Amino acid sequence: MICQSFYTKVEMVDEMKTIAPKFKEKGEQIKVQFMKNIQQESPELLNIFYRYLQSTGQLQLSLVDVIYSGTMQIERMDKLVPKIMQIAHKHRSLGILPEYYPIIKKHLLSSIRKVAAGRVTKEQLNMIQLTYNRVADVLMQVEEDLYKEVETDSGWRFFKPFRIVKKQVENELEMSLYVVPIDGKLKSIEGVGQYVTARLKVPDDIYYMNHQYAVAVEPKLRGYVLSICRGPGYYTNDRVTHYIFDELIEGDLLEVSAPAGVVTC
């Protein structure tokens, strides 16, 4: 069960609580180092993480964040269930595979050792690794269930091409993008709160960049309408949205994942 506490020994709980403040103090530095490790040693993962390297401001790495949260709430891991489910849906939308988890763990532990040198013991690192292993096991199980579920009702596992049939620009910052599947098969949406991942390669870049957008079904077209919004500073921190707004035209193809997210009615 996801809700079951990962640790039972009092001394382990107490020890984990001593690690949490160190994460809080060095968390952003660890995430920056983590991204440097990915870029230098595991470039295949840049097809997932490349957009973060193009961003400014705080890095939003959900899996890393939930490991931090796990160390800070070690006695109440059940509180992480909603976050874990959100991450699983996001990972399914991005096409995260089980073989990515050992690579991410290696770079996470390496980043902690480098940034928090002398402040985290070998035993504490082993406990962090245990937390990671348990969270990753749950995520892989849930994500595989989500992959199988999404393949029903005309769904698909990763990405497939859609054709842009209409760009309805509302204003400088908002646009409705109407897309239809090339194969004619469309996964239904039964409520609100879902999103899809759109991915593309910008000319002169070798890696995919991706972005998640709110989605609704457009019955007349047998397609989707994506809500594309860009905010202040979009020229530097969201190249995907910028490219869709200013470069893609009606008739172009865009790779899209099946709808993800917890549906609310």
Side-chain angles (χ1 to χ4, degrees), residues 223-236:
Y224 294 139
V225 55
L226 279 55
S227 298
I228 312 293
C229 302
R230 56 184 179 185
Y234 57 80
Y235 282 104
T236 58

Side-chain angles (χ1 to χ4, degrees), residues 18 23 26 38 44 49 64 72 79 95-96 100 115 121 124 133 181 184 206 209-210 217 237 242 252 263:
T18 68
F23 273 157
K26 299 290 186 179
I38 293 290
E44 69 276 13
F49 292 118
V64 178
M72 289 186 252
K79 290 185 176 181
I96 297 292
Y100 295 166
V115 172
T121 67
Q124 289 171 334
N133 289 343
I206 62 175
M209 289 188 288
N210 53 68
V217 170
N237 68 9
H242 170 50
D252 282 344
V263 177

Side-chain angles (χ1 to χ4, degrees), residues 192-211:
V192 297
Q194 291 204 291
Y195 55 84
V196 296
T197 297
R199 76 171 186 175
L200 53 80
K201 285 185 180 179
V202 173
D204 301 325
D205 276 330
I206 62 175
Y207 300 109
Y208 282 103
M209 289 188 288
N210 53 68
H211 200 292

